[in-house]
Amino acid sequence: MSSLRIGPVTDDATIEDWRLVHNAVVPDAAMSTDEARERVGRYLLEVAYDGDVLVGCTTVRPPEAGGGASTVIVRVLPQWRGRGLGSALYERAMRQAAEQAPDAVETVVWAANTAGVRFAEARGFAEVDRYEPEPGAVPYLTLRRPSA
């Protein structure tokens, strides 16, 4: 990790970069540009670059009205994993989530992303729910840990 640069999704280029990473990591839930653009108004979305090369993205969702959990999702392109980028993105996203004063923090991981599941579990997250988008599909796991 020579020159990690992380910034907010603010324009068409960064929306497209965020979407590209999302779709590469979660191809089962590929998202259109309009779907990604809609999330900009609801969540904190960021993109990460090593120099000028796109390497990952994050999503931080606020707790529902009346409390609950913030959701932190970190995605690193497969060819960039194992270099500390996920940890750097995770730490930043967890600080952002903590500012929302949640009761807990959750993450959602596509079960086929076994490296992502291991990453979350190594950081104290435990599975609390599974969602199968359609019968027989690979499920999504919701993992939770108490707020720090």
Side-chain angles (χ1 to χ4, degrees):
M1 178 170 49
S2 58
S3 57
L4 185 62
R5 182 172 51 90
I6 306 168
V9 172
T10 57
D11 57 22
D12 288 343
T14 53
I15 288 170
E16 191 57 26
D17 283 351
W18 183 92
R19 187 181 80 84
L20 188 149
V21 174
H22 173 277
N23 291 352
V25 174
V26 194
D28 195 50
M31 185 180 299
S32 71
T33 300
D34 287 340
E35 289 170 318
R37 186 174 286 118
E38 183 271 333
R39 282 164 173 72
V40 172
R42 294 189 299 147
Y43 309 136
L44 173 59
L45 307 180
E46 292 191 321
V47 285
Y49 304 88
D50 185 3
D52 291 329
V53 179
L54 179 65
V55 297
C57 72
T58 62
T59 301
V60 178
R61 299 178 192 158
E64 296 291 324
S70 289
T71 302
V72 168
I73 301 171
V74 173
R75 298 178 193 92
V76 175
L77 292 170
Q79 66 270 31
W80 290 94
R81 293 179 185 159
R83 303 178 192 200
L85 299 168
S87 294
L89 292 172
Y90 167 79
E91 290 168 13
R92 179 181 172 102
M94 288 296 287
R95 284 191 304 273
Q96 292 165 334
E99 293 172 3
Q100 300 169 349
D103 299 332
V105 178
E106 293 180 343
T107 192
V108 179
V109 183
W110 189 39
N113 180 0
T114 56
V117 174
R118 284 193 309 272
F119 183 92
E121 290 173 341
R123 283 152 182 82
F125 286 84
E127 183 180 336
V128 295
D129 194 21
R130 284 178 177 246
Y131 166 71
E132 200 172 275
E134 58 187 52
V138 176
Y140 293 88
L141 310 180
T142 300
L143 301 103
R144 179 182 276 236
R145 65 172 267 186
S147 186

